[in-house]
């Protein structure tokens, strides 16, 4: 269902963007970089977090690390990663394919400024074998994301 929901999202909102599928897994940043022939930083990873009662998604550059202090300051609470089953239940996407597109239900999406280092990024597209190529600004626009600075930026 997840890959289909992402395809439907792009068909409706951005028909010029096509979902790519890879025969090899792209479930981790390293695997995705290899599968799509890009440097790891261009992989736009989606973090699924619970902060208090809220669930949010943060999309960040593949080589960045979430900074708990920055997240707490930005969102007013301690972040906790969702568990495997929770991720699929809440987002509709399996771990390794989580993205801000075609979600099961609307969730607040935030794009970390680490993505702005790249003209094009490669987020997953709902499965461990799919992704899209998109500019960071277009991704933020399509998902109504707010830009935040909540990661440690690493080259």
């Amino acid at each position: 269902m997840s890959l289909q929901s992402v395809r439907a999202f792009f068909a409706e909102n951005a028909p010029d963007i096509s979902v790519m599928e890879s025969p090899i897994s792209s479930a981790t940043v390293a695997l995705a970089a290899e599968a799509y022939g890009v440097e790891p930083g261009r992989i736009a990873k989606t973090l699924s977090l619970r902060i208090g009662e809220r669930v949010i998604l943060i999309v960040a550059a593949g080589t960045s690390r979430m900074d708990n202090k920055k997240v707490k300051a930005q969102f007013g609470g301690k972040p906790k990663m969702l568990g495997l089953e929770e991720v699929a239940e809440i987002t509709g996407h399996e771990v390794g394919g989580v993205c801000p597109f075609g979600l099961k239900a609307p969730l607040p999406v935030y794009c970390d400024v680490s993505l702005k280092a790249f003209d094009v990024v490669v987020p997953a597209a709902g499965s461990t074998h799919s992704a899209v190529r998109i500019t960071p600004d277009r991704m933020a626009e399509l998902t109504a994301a707010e830009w935040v600075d909540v990661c440690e930026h690493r080259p």
Side-chain angles (χ1 to χ4, degrees), residues 48-106:
S48 310
L49 305 172
R50 182 178 302 284
I51 300 171
E53 297 300 310
R54 297 181 301 160
V55 172
I56 66 168
L57 300 180
I58 297 175
V59 187
T63 53
S64 66
R65 283 185 60 123
M66 184 175 73
D67 182 321
N68 286 323
K69 288 180 183 167
K70 286 183 177 183
V71 172
K72 190 172 182 180
Q74 176 75 40
F75 298 106
K78 185 179 178 183
K80 182 178 186 283
M81 298 290 277
L82 295 183
L84 293 178
E85 289 176 16
E86 252 188 324
V87 169
E89 183 182 313
I90 292 170
T91 67
H93 304 319
E94 62 186 307
V95 170
V98 178
C99 63
F101 318 111
L103 297 167
K104 185 174 175 180

Side-chain angles (χ1 to χ4, degrees), residues 6-45:
V6 172
R7 284 189 194 283
F9 174 89
F10 283 110
E12 185 177 324
N13 299 291
D16 58 305
I17 296 175
S18 57
V19 174
M20 307 176 290
E21 288 188 78
S22 169
I24 62 171
S25 174
S26 53
T28 67
V29 169
L31 290 172
E34 186 179 328
Y36 299 107
V38 298
E39 66 212 79
R42 282 190 190 272
I43 300 302
K45 62 184 176 186

Side-chain angles (χ1 to χ4, degrees), residues 87-143:
V87 169
E89 183 182 313
I90 292 170
T91 67
H93 304 319
E94 62 186 307
V95 170
V98 178
C99 63
F101 318 111
L103 297 167
K104 185 174 175 180
L107 289 170
V109 177
Y110 298 88
C111 286
D112 185 74
V113 295
S114 59
L115 296 168
K116 289 189 178 245
F118 305 100
D119 56 342
V120 172
V121 293
V122 183
S127 79
T128 58
H129 289 76
S130 62
V132 295
R133 291 182 194 274
I134 190 168
T135 67
D137 285 334
R138 183 104 186 267
M139 178 169 56
E141 177 188 322
L142 287 171
T143 60

